[in-house]
Amino acid sequence: MVNLKIDDKKVAVPEGTTVMEAAASVGIRIPSLCYLKEINEIAACRICLVELVGKDKLITSCNNVVQEGMEIYTNSPKVRSARRTNVQLLLSQHDSRCAICERSGNCTLQQISNDMGIVSNPFPDDWKEEPWPKDFPLVRHGEKCVRCMRCVQICDKVQGVGVWDVANTGSRTTIGVSGVRKIEQSDCVLCGQCVTHCPVAALHARDDWQQVLSAMADPEKITVVQVAPAVRTAWAENMNIPREKATEGRLVAALRRLGFDYVFDTTFSADLTIMEEGSEFLARFDEIRESGMPMFTSCCPGWVRYVKSQYPELVSRLSTAKSPQQMFGAVAKTYYAKLLNVDPEKIYCVSIMPCVAKKHEAAIPVMNDAGAGPDVDCVLTTRELARMIRADRIMVEALEAEEFDRPLGVGTGAGVIFGSTGGVMEAALRSAYYLISGKNPAPDSFQTIREPDGWREGEFNMAGTKVKVAVVSGLGNTRKLIEAVRRGEVRYDFVEVMACPGGCVGGGGQPIHDGQELAGLRSEYLYELDQANPIRFSHENPAITQLYQDFLDKPMSHKAHELLHTDHEAWQMEK
């Protein structure tokens, strides 16, 4: 242990502890803008300065470790003056029109500035707007960038994609797309991790909710909305509504209050995905064993973009099954249009997703198999949904719980856990066991592959057949897994990949809580919902059974292939 004093308090902390961590251990919070533990500890913002007795220059607390006998002051006049000047300099180079910024009220720079009582700035404004393609799902506002380097470090160290890089030096330093490329030409997978780790609004998802409002106002349109499993874990977090009040039923009620004609649950099409993907896995099993290469899941569009740009030779190993989002759109504009006895062209299909890449996925030219335009017309993030609810002044706590519409609102516990890393694999194994043996396993037989650490594997006896599977989340971990497969160090039959660490619950479209990683807590909630669901197997979803009886015939049928499967080679990433 190292003994020191911080603001005249005696502190004892383990060797290697930073000054910032030592202060936090005794309830002293030192402000910071750029710091992310073990990811970005470069002291770029200079806001975490503290005074070390005996040293003239102030030191940064985020990357200086404690030493025996140190005396630190975190809020001396010298510290306050330096911090204030540094924040004012940042503000002079930052578009401070906060009232029209999507991160207003949830911006670390804004909070620090308010906490310091900064109401004027002696430094003149020195920023300008930079051009950016308006149709790309990820938006960068260079005039709001504080050059904290978080986006660079997250993309490099966690995701291993390297989209962002530093350009220029000194006061002209800025962040741009690496390799002097346009963003459309980069390897960006649209995971959105740079968005959720940006402390300001220099990065955000393209805003599409105004076009949804226009569709709802059109008397010729029938608006149907699907809600992804991970959304229910987080949709009210930024409205300060506790989870026990932010129920699934109130979410449905809020969506109807917004004006949607029909409210459905993506867990329905998650169950449908299991039926198709599980059946495909069994059909490909002999080839998988012969080739020694696994089948990979295909429900994460960020992962699909990644494999197409980084490992194009593995595209053929992807399942041909569409994601639940796209399966829902195809079914809504065919089967459901038939049930309503309406022209499919009248249906406007909206998805609410925890994801930025889903905006791209819906726009892929081949995702139009229903023959009525794009199968999914518009994708909103969880954050956009929250803004719509706030804009309409809906008092969520006062709403009576309502149920999803039927039949596309019926889902199982297996469909719910799709939102968590490992959930797709677990749901698939539950039904694959049944398809092989004709009987159900215990629902929690496969919980050992619930993946909290980035990469997990398991081997299961499926009615006499041993199946080796792996689950991985975060693209840095994914690269390690793929390289191990290519070197022959590991061999799997089936691999689930999710681009975002922790899965969809940690997606780039989820609410932002700076400095907190909430994927684990959100995942726990999904597994609680799974446990509480009376149906925990996708093949037992009565709405799915009815869909096959009335419309699709059986999994992997000709009709199912037309609507629910896709050719991943049929479109290319722009270069």
Side-chain angles (χ1 to χ4, degrees):
M1 301 295 285
V2 177
N3 298 287
L4 67 157
K5 281 186 178 181
I6 302 179
D7 293 346
D8 296 324
K9 286 186 177 183
K10 291 182 178 180
V11 183
V13 292
E15 186 177 346
T17 303
T18 65
V19 173
M20 179 182 284
E21 292 168 333
S25 72
V26 290
I28 299 170
R29 185 176 66 86
I30 298 174
S32 175
L33 189 64
C34 66
Y35 174 75
L36 287 175
K37 185 175 175 59
E38 297 179 354
I39 296 172
N40 199 41
E41 300 176 339
I42 59 174
C45 68
R46 318 301 290 179
I47 294 173
C48 69
L49 293 171
V50 294
E51 185 172 358
L52 172 60
V53 174
K55 188 168 184 176
D56 289 336
K57 289 186 177 181
L58 300 177
I59 66 169
T60 51
S61 61
C62 71
N63 62 352
N64 275 292
V65 298
V66 295
Q67 295 179 19
E68 186 70 27
M70 268 186 168
E71 287 189 49
I72 298 288
Y73 287 97
T74 69
N75 228 1
S76 66
K78 187 175 180 180
V79 168
R80 285 199 299 266
S81 176
R83 281 185 191 159
R84 187 181 182 89
T85 298
N86 288 344
V87 172
Q88 287 173 325
L89 284 167
L90 283 171
L91 289 171
S92 73
Q93 298 177 2
H94 175 80
D95 177 0
S96 298
R97 295 174 294 181
C98 297
I100 55 173
C101 176
E102 78 157 28
R103 289 287 295 275
S104 183
N106 184 27
C107 168
T108 306
L109 178 60
Q110 186 184 56
Q111 184 65 55
I112 289 172
S113 179
N114 289 342
D115 289 349
M116 291 185 180
I118 296 175
V119 294
S120 62
N121 196 350
F123 304 108
D125 287 346
D126 183 23
W127 56 265
K128 62 180 180 178
E129 294 185 5
E130 298 178 6
W132 193 263
K134 295 185 182 300
D135 57 348
F136 197 70
L138 185 146
V139 179
R140 183 175 187 274
H141 289 294
E143 68 275 13
K144 296 183 181 181
C145 179
V146 291
R147 298 173 290 283
C148 67
M149 294 282 290
R150 284 188 183 186
C151 57
V152 177
Q153 303 278 38
I154 284 287
C155 200
D156 285 358
K157 291 183 178 179
V158 177
Q159 297 298 70
V161 182
V163 170
W164 306 108
D165 202 355
V166 179
N168 301 322
T169 57
S171 63
R172 297 182 299 113
T173 301
T174 187
I175 308 297
V177 180
S178 61
V180 198
R181 297 172 294 177
K182 295 181 178 179
I183 187 64
E184 307 99 313
Q185 300 167 330
S186 73
D187 294 332
C188 179
V189 301
L190 294 169
C191 65
Q193 291 304 300
C194 58
V195 173
T196 56
H197 290 85
C198 178
V200 292
L203 292 161
H204 66 87
R206 187 186 67 219
D207 202 330
D208 293 324
W209 61 288
Q210 291 298 326
Q211 68 190 63
V212 174
L213 294 179
S214 297
M216 289 194 292
D218 186 345
E220 295 299 312
K221 294 291 185 185
I222 299 168
T223 54
V224 303
V225 61
Q226 59 168 316
V227 184
V231 172
R232 72 200 64 203
T233 70
W235 65 282
E237 285 177 355
N238 284 349
M239 291 183 272
N240 297 316
I241 299 171
R243 177 166 289 166
E244 58 269 20
K245 291 186 180 294
T247 61
E248 178 183 297
R250 283 198 172 102
L251 172 57
V252 174
L255 288 165
R256 289 210 180 96
R257 185 70 63 86
L258 285 172
F260 288 104
D261 295 312
Y262 298 97
V263 181
F264 295 123
D265 192 346
T266 311
T267 58
F268 165 86
S269 46
D271 289 328
L272 185 58
T273 300
I274 288 301
M275 297 306 295
E276 293 297 324
E277 194 169 66
S279 298
E280 181 186 8
F281 171 65
L282 296 179
R284 294 174 63 171
F285 190 73
D286 290 342
E287 183 277 329
I288 289 168
R289 284 291 168 89
E290 185 178 337
S291 68
M293 293 297 290
M295 184 178 91
F296 291 94
T297 57
S298 57
C299 52
C300 172
W303 151 240
V304 173
R305 282 179 65 91
Y306 179 80
V307 76
K308 284 177 72 71
S309 67
Q310 305 292 311
Y311 298 97
E313 71 278 10
L314 295 181
V315 172
S316 64
R317 307 309 306 175
L318 292 169
S319 165
T320 63
K322 291 180 181 177
S323 71
Q325 167 178 277
Q326 295 305 134
M327 285 195 182
F328 178 91
V331 170
K333 291 192 175 184
T334 52
Y335 175 65
Y336 193 62
K338 191 175 179 181
L339 292 181
L340 291 180
N341 194 27
V342 299
D343 181 352
E345 297 278 358
K346 288 182 175 290
I347 292 181
Y348 188 86
C349 185
V350 179
S351 300
I352 299 176
M353 295 284 145
C355 180
V356 179
K358 289 291 182 185
K359 289 177 180 279
H360 146 77
E361 182 185 46
I364 293 174
V366 296
M367 295 294 183
N368 59 354
D369 295 307
D375 293 337
V376 174
D377 294 286
C378 189
V379 178
L380 304 179
T381 63
T382 311
R383 294 192 297 273
E384 285 174 283
L385 168 64
R387 289 206 299 278
M388 289 178 73
I389 291 172
R390 289 198 301 267
D392 271 19
R393 314 293 292 177
I394 296 173
M395 295 180 62
V396 172
E397 304 97 315
L399 296 176
E400 293 290 332
E402 298 179 16
E403 293 187 355
F404 287 105
D405 288 300
R406 293 177 177 249
L408 310 189
V410 180
T412 70
V416 166
I417 60 176
F418 254 63
S420 176
T421 175
V424 176
M425 181 62 70
E426 187 173 346
L429 291 174
R430 290 180 193 179
S431 287
Y433 188 96
Y434 172 81
L435 293 172
I436 292 170
S437 68
K439 56 185 179 182
N440 287 338
D444 295 316
S445 298
F446 310 105
Q447 63 180 327
T448 55
I449 48 102
R450 294 177 187 176
E451 180 280 296
D453 303 317
W455 175 2
R456 179 163 291 195
E457 60 183 35
E459 186 173 58
F460 301 99
N461 188 327
M462 308 289 281
T465 301
K466 287 188 177 180
V467 176
K468 187 77 176 286
V469 303
V471 170
V472 65
S473 74
L475 293 174
N477 295 320
T478 301
R479 188 181 295 277
K480 293 174 186 175
L481 181 147
I482 291 176
E483 293 299 332
V485 169
R486 295 172 82 184
R487 290 191 298 266
E489 297 171 359
V490 294
R491 183 166 177 166
Y492 304 117
D493 300 309
F494 196 9
V495 178
E496 175 205 302
V497 182
M498 290 192 179
C500 294
C504 303
V505 286
Q510 293 282 66
I512 297 171
H513 302 276
D514 196 10
Q516 299 181 58
E517 302 292 345
L518 299 179
L521 287 174
R522 293 166 181 164
S523 286
E524 288 176 11
Y525 182 50
L526 289 184
Y527 285 109
E528 289 172 12
L529 293 175
D530 170 38
Q531 291 278 348
N533 198 306
I535 307 174
R536 300 186 66 194
F537 298 93
S538 295
H539 58 270
E540 291 186 350
N541 184 330
I544 296 294
T545 302
Q546 196 69 43
L547 172 65
Y548 280 112
Q549 286 179 357
D550 296 346
F551 191 63
L552 293 175
D553 185 29
K554 62 182 180 180
M556 302 285 286
S557 68
H558 178 71
K559 189 75 170 178
H561 263 290
E562 281 186 335
L563 293 177
L564 308 181
H565 292 255
T566 190
D567 178 5
H568 298 293
E569 304 275 13
W571 59 276
Q572 300 297 321
M573 288 181 65
E574 185 177 339
K575 289 292 182 183

